[in-house]
Structure formats: C-alpha cells, structure tokens
Amino acid sequence: MHAVLRHQPESIGLVLDNEGWADIVALIKCAARHGKRLDFAIIEKIVDTNDKKRFAISADQKRIRAVQGHSTQQVNIRYQEKIPPAVLYHGTATRFLASIFKQGLIAGTRHYVHLSADKSTATKVGQRYGKAIILKIEAQLMYEQGFTFHQADNGVWLTKTVPVEYMSVVEHFQ
Ligand code: HQG
C-alpha cells in the first residue's frame, strides 16, 4: 500500500485527492485488477499494525491515506503549521554529508524534509542508506526566522528545506 498511497497510485489506476485520500472501494477494485486481493478487514489490519502508523482511515471509514512521505504530484496535503521544539533531528548516511553541507537538506523526491524529535528515530532513518549520522537542526531558530514546520499525524516533523547554517553533526549518538 505504501507505493500506491504515496508514490505511484497510477500504477494500479488509483486516484488520490489533494489531501491524499483514496476511496477504499476503489483501492480494493484497483488492487484486485492488479492481482492483489484486499478487503476492508485486511486494510484495517495493515493500518492498525503498521510500525510507523503510516496510514489513516477517515472517520466515515470510506477513505484511506498515507499521513506523510508522499512523492506523487497528485497530492498536496495542507498540513497545519506547528511551532517546533527547540531542536529536531535528521538521520542520514555519512556518504550524503558533503552534499548536505553544500546544499542544505532538500526534500528530493518527497514533498518535505523529514525530521524527528528524538535521536533514536533519526538513527533508524539514517541506517536505511548506510552508516548513520545524525544532524541536529535548530528548529526553533528556523521558526523564528520565518521557516514553516508541520507535524504529520504519526509524529514525523516536516519542513521544506533546512539551510546549512541551522544544522550541526551530533557526535556520539548511539
Ligand atoms: C538525503 C522513512 C544529499 C537525506 C523514514 C536522506 C522517514 C541529501 C535522503 C522518511 C540532501 C532522502 C523519510 C542533499 C537530503 N544531498 N543527500 N542536499 N538532502 N539528503 O527516504 O528523510 O518508511 O526521501 O538525508 O522513516 O531518509 O518511508 O528521506 O537520506 O520518516 O515511512 O536524501 O522515510 O519512512 O531519503 O526518510 P528519503 P528520509 P517510511
């Protein structure tokens, strides 16, 4: 479900609205046409057991969406602005550091740079790409200087970009 609700809904002919919602009946039909059997109970179980609470079902139980992490241009979620804590963390791999300290953190294919409130989450995120390294982000200072922050329903912090002057490497984080 990650792939179709965040990245390539068109791969199974699914349409998401601006806020990322897909009609659950449509998702079941589109998935079936592509050889994947789903029903409401299976979908509900995926949502409930997802390790990072990536998905949400609407209050009327008719729609489903991923709460963050999108790259598809079909979606442009209007997240509420939220005042960030003093610092946030970004986990990345050591091999990206030179480029990050040249360009700042950029969202790449996703819509936002992803930040977390704790170092252990950041470590796990960074390990996906190699030897993890954590950057400390002066989030409050960024906020005071006009940058906008959001928090997705699963707790992940989002911002469009982090310029180099707001980041520093966290030593001895493990
Ligand atoms: C890096 C997972 C070079 C950035 C996780 C990251 C997260 C740069 C990679 C969520 C750069 C992008 C997001 C620059 C940033 N030069 N590299 N200027 N700026 N990068 O996967 O933050 O399982 O798109 O450090 O748990 O790693 O998908 O972003 O290493 O919450 O739910 O470019 O994805 O969640 O990689 O991870 P990603 P991310 P899910």
Side-chain angles (χ1 to χ4, degrees):
M1 282 203 318
H2 291 209
V4 297
L5 291 177
R6 302 214 287 202
H7 307 305
Q8 276 142 356
E10 66 281 0
S11 67
I12 61 164
L14 187 68
V15 177
L16 309 183
D17 74 9
N18 247 352
E19 292 293 311
W21 293 109
D23 182 80
I24 291 179
V25 173
L27 171 63
I28 291 169
K29 279 189 191 156
C30 290
R33 263 189 243 123
H34 287 79
K36 172 96 181 152
R37 205 186 72 79
L38 287 177
D39 59 29
F40 190 82
I42 295 172
I43 292 172
E44 202 173 28
K45 187 156 182 222
I46 294 172
V47 173
D48 289 346
T49 57
N50 187 262
D51 57 344
K52 293 186 189 166
K53 303 205 179 315
R54 291 181 182 90
F55 307 108
I57 290 177
S58 61
D60 64 7
Q61 310 266 296
K62 290 191 171 139
R63 297 176 303 159
I64 181 169
R65 72 172 175 180
V67 297
Q68 43 73 229
H70 299 82
S71 64
T72 173
Q73 296 304 317
Q74 287 190 22
V75 174
N76 182 16
I77 298 182
R78 287 159 299 163
Y79 292 103
Q80 285 202 340
E81 280 189 36
K82 190 161 175 185
I83 301 176
V87 298
L88 286 168
Y89 298 97
H90 177 85
T92 188
T94 49
R95 63 194 167 98
F96 297 147
L97 272 191
S99 167
I100 290 173
F101 273 96
K102 215 181 276 166
Q103 292 187 316
L105 282 172
I106 53 172
T109 58
R110 301 195 199 239
H111 297 174
Y112 291 93
V113 170
H114 291 220
L115 304 170
S116 55
D118 63 285
K119 292 184 216 168
S120 65
T121 303
T123 306
K124 282 188 219 136
V125 172
Q127 279 165 347
R128 289 153 51 242
Y129 293 118
K131 187 172 170 354
I133 184 102
I134 297 187
L135 299 173
K136 180 172 125 181
I137 310 298
E138 299 298 337
Q140 193 176 358
L141 186 61
M142 284 181 69
Y143 176 77
E144 285 165 7
Q145 298 187 352
F147 290 84
T148 304
F149 288 80
H150 315 278
Q151 192 175 28
D153 290 346
N154 63 353
V156 172
W157 283 90
L158 306 169
T159 193
K160 279 290 178 193
T161 172
V162 179
V164 177
E165 57 266 37
Y166 300 104
M167 61 176 79
S168 56
V169 170
V170 176
E171 312 283 350
H172 314 299
F173 56 87
Q174 266 153 342

